[in-house]
Amino acid sequence: MFEARLTQSASIKKILDAIKDLLNEASFDCSESGIQLQAMDHSHVSLVSLTLKADGFDKYRCDRNLTMGMHLGSMSKIFKCSSNDDTVTITAQDDADTVTFTFEAKKQEKISDYEMKLMNLDQEHLGIPDTDFSCVIKMPSGEFARIVKDLSQFGESIIISCTKEGVRFSTSGDIGSANVKIAQTANFEKEEESVIIEMQEPVVLTFACQYLNSFTKATPLSNVVQLSMSDNVPLVVEYQIPDLGHLRFYLAPKIEEDEN
Amino acid sequence: MGILNLSKLLADIAPHALKEHELKTYFGRKVAIDASMCLYQFLIAVRTEGAQLTSADGETTSHLLGTFYRTIRLIENGLKPVYVFDGKPPEMKSGELTKRQERRQEAQKALEKATEAGDAAEIDKFNRRIVRVTKAHAEEVKRLLKMMGVPYVDAPCEAEAQCAALVKAGKVFAAATEDMDALTFGSKVLLRHLTFSEARKMPIQEIHLDKVLEGLELNQEEFIDLCILLGCDYTDSIRGIGPKRGLELIRKHKSIENVINTIDKEKYPIPQDWNFAEARELFKNPEIAEINDLELKWGDPDEEAMVKYLCGDKNFSEERVRNGCKKLLKAKGSSTQGRLDGFFKVLSTTPAKRKLEDKKNTPNKKGKTSGGRGRGRGPK
């Protein structure tokens, strides 16, 4: 039997909003330690990795390891039926082919439950190597979303170059080019509003706007986003989910055309 | 023609091996396209009001138009096509070719009849059936491809075999043809419907040989024998043995020789002088051009040459040709999106368990009914 209870259904709502554009369906691996989701989009360009720790839930019980394939669009529909401060309980029997979401309104005057059919999905477990990144940038997540959105109007891809002085986001397209430069914040009074750059070596990488824009759908989850980059390895965009875990996106860089 | 009913068999027994994707997910992939197959498609499909498109002096241009637009579409989606042209057909195919010739002649006769009767639908139908891809068509397309900066390969013999060899050597990602025998020739990945018209909105079918073999529970040699049993272009098959029975027999007896030794020859007569061994050899060691000598290079399109050739000689609209050229150049200039596959290692795959069980149940039921029908048909 599996049971997980969370006082704020909003967190899961936000997670679903952030990943349902990239993935149509995904498997949630539930174990004693928590819930994990790892899946690539159809074209294998980006990867979503979600970790929700067991102790982040108000109640968590998982007797046997369980993999639940869910259609994220449908799941999102169900969560849309709840209010943000509803308490949600996710329950499933061992070897069940359905999962139940129960929403309790704050004053407990209303209880609604939704049963959803599970899907059987092919699953590929990928080993993600630990990388020492050349550049790790922490910045306000809203700022990052804004920059990506602004630059997407001008080109299909964004070049992110990181040096000691700061990070430069640039793009070019039919109408011209655009550049946004942000510098490391001098005072660290408010960590949430500062830009912090840890750099071993400068890095320049190109990424598709389309994917970056999808990633920024996770902005409501966290005030801070962390970008980790190294030459020729995927970009990691990480959002911490307070008390619960994290949501990471990996994105393969664009490569310059070599002569065949 | 490929292998009779193989795709149906796979859909029943090894649904896992078939995947469908949209064209745009193939960006950055190099694919070897069976040119003869797609020229044939173009000659049949690219028409206005039932007639092939022609130049001012009445020469067909359907194949050029098809090649031009659909190649652009592939390149725009980030694919890197290389076309593979048929050489001389293998001797063993002569039987099959004679049959096709006969069918064409029949169609020709039917066409004449329909023309006399003035039946437009029939005329259209038979017009399509008499289509043949000639050397001249192929030469014209090669000329156009050169101008477009798209490489092509002249296979000494069968194009599918050459495509398969390119895949095996890792030169390209997949072989694109409708012929299932690309798998028999050992192509690791086969793409179908790649050069279909966009308007048909057909997703691309991707078939992985390793999954096929896994699903059928055969090795490559047994798979080749199964294909011969099902019916290939090169030799006869045993009458009365269909896909299901063929698979059963090969699974049990491992090779055609053993099958011949065990089956009831009264019920299933072995074809006279059945040269299955040679067909097998042809699938295993087909005549192909040395892969390492081939240089696949995607160059820049030559706009002026294309305008001169297509608009001057072939009556294409200049504006469209120039537009097409721009698309080619633009696609070439942009950087390619990388994939994560290279960065992360697949640790384990868990196929959908329950789905497999379900699928196993349904074909079984089907198998029983069709088996029943088969037995019913016997005494007639």
Side-chain angles (χ1 to χ4, degrees), chain A residues 59-250:
Chain A
K59 188 180 170 196
Y60 188 92
R61 174 182 166 194
C62 182
D63 301 343
R64 271 173 63 187
N65 286 3
L66 182 72
T67 298
M68 295 190 282
M70 300 197 208
H71 186 266
L72 297 179
S74 314
M75 197 177 162
S76 172
K77 259 184 211 163
I78 291 174
F79 274 84
K80 286 240 161 72
C81 301
S82 74
S83 305
N84 283 347
D85 51 3
D86 280 2
T87 296
V88 58
T89 311
I90 306 170
T91 41
Q93 301 300 320
D94 294 338
D95 285 327
D97 47 13
T98 58
V99 58
T100 308
F101 302 100
T102 311
F103 300 105
E104 287 164 53
K106 218 163 188 187
K107 287 175 194 149
Q108 297 204 332
E109 77 279 21
K110 178 178 149 199
I111 297 176
S112 32
D113 50 33
Y114 299 85
E115 192 179 73
M116 187 175 82
K117 286 181 194 140
L118 292 176
M119 304 172 82
N120 281 287
L121 303 170
D122 295 350
Q123 250 198 314
E124 276 189 344
H125 295 278
L126 292 176
I128 301 169
D130 285 325
T131 316
D132 289 324
F133 288 98
S134 311
C135 293
V136 177
I137 307 155
K138 274 195 188 129
M139 62 187 288
S141 58
E143 190 64 61
F144 177 62
R146 178 72 201 264
I147 292 171
V148 171
K149 191 177 135 223
D150 287 350
L151 294 190
S152 309
Q153 306 177 84
F154 303 99
E156 284 176 5
S157 44
I158 292 180
I159 302 168
I160 307 181
S161 38
C162 183
T163 59
K164 248 198 309 238
E165 286 74 45
V167 197
R168 203 170 68 125
F169 299 86
S170 51
T171 186
S172 60
D174 290 341
I175 52 171
S177 62
N179 279 290
V180 177
K181 209 170 155 184
I182 50 167
Q184 168 124 264
T185 325
N187 71 20
F188 294 102
E189 269 177 27
K190 284 185 184 164
E191 213 193 316
E192 289 188 350
E193 288 168 22
S194 20
V195 176
I196 304 165
I197 300 167
E198 283 167 41
M199 192 203 75
Q200 319 294 328
E201 274 172 76
V203 178
V204 180
L205 287 170
T206 309
F207 300 101
C209 291
Q210 183 204 338
Y211 289 94
L212 293 176
N213 261 321
S214 298
F215 298 168
T216 58
K217 298 248 161 68
T219 305
L221 283 171
S222 168
N223 292 324
V224 179
V225 61
Q226 176 175 309
L227 311 176
S228 312
M229 302 196 292
S230 275
D231 243 352
N232 292 320
V233 300
L235 161 79
V236 185
V237 180
E238 180 174 331
Y239 295 87
Q240 292 291 334
I241 309 166
D243 304 327
L244 201 55
H246 61 251
L247 176 59
R248 281 191 197 136
F249 299 99
Y250 293 78

Side-chain angles (χ1 to χ4, degrees), chain B residues 36-48 50-53 60 62-63 70 104 124-133 137 200:
Chain B
S36 318
M37 168 61 65
C38 67
L39 290 193
Y40 186 70
Q41 285 171 3
F42 296 153
L43 286 172
I44 290 177
V46 184
R47 283 164 188 253
T48 45
Q52 284 175 336
L53 304 170
T60 310
S62 289
H63 56 301
R70 295 199 190 159
R104 214 174 278 123
D124 189 36
K125 186 166 121 195
F126 290 111
N127 237 326
R128 285 171 205 250
R129 282 201 195 162
I130 57 168
V131 165
R132 259 193 87 199
V133 179
H137 288 142
R200 286 173 69 177

Side-chain angles (χ1 to χ4, degrees), chain A residues 123 125 127 232 252 255 257, chain B residues 336-337 340 343 345 347-348 350:
Chain A
Q123 250 198 314
H125 295 278
N232 292 320
I255 333 158
E257 216 47 8
Chain B
T336 325
Q337 174 65 55
L340 289 175
F343 296 111
K345 287 272 166 307
L347 293 179
S348 65
T350 328

Side-chain angles (χ1 to χ4, degrees), chain B residues 12-75:
Chain B
D12 277 356
I13 308 285
H16 215 59
L18 312 174
K19 287 204 173 101
E20 287 193 341
H21 293 297
E22 280 176 73
L23 179 60
K24 61 174 189 231
T25 62
Y26 288 95
F27 58 82
R29 297 284 196 207
K30 296 175 182 172
V31 285
I33 299 175
D34 176 355
S36 318
M37 168 61 65
C38 67
L39 290 193
Y40 186 70
Q41 285 171 3
F42 296 153
L43 286 172
I44 290 177
V46 184
R47 283 164 188 253
T48 45
E49 286 158 17
Q52 284 175 336
L53 304 170
T54 55
S55 64
D57 44 8
E59 267 181 80
T60 310
T61 55
S62 289
H63 56 301
L64 292 173
L65 193 89
T67 310
F68 183 68
Y69 285 114
R70 295 199 190 159
T71 307
I72 288 177
R73 195 173 133 237
L74 295 180
I75 293 178

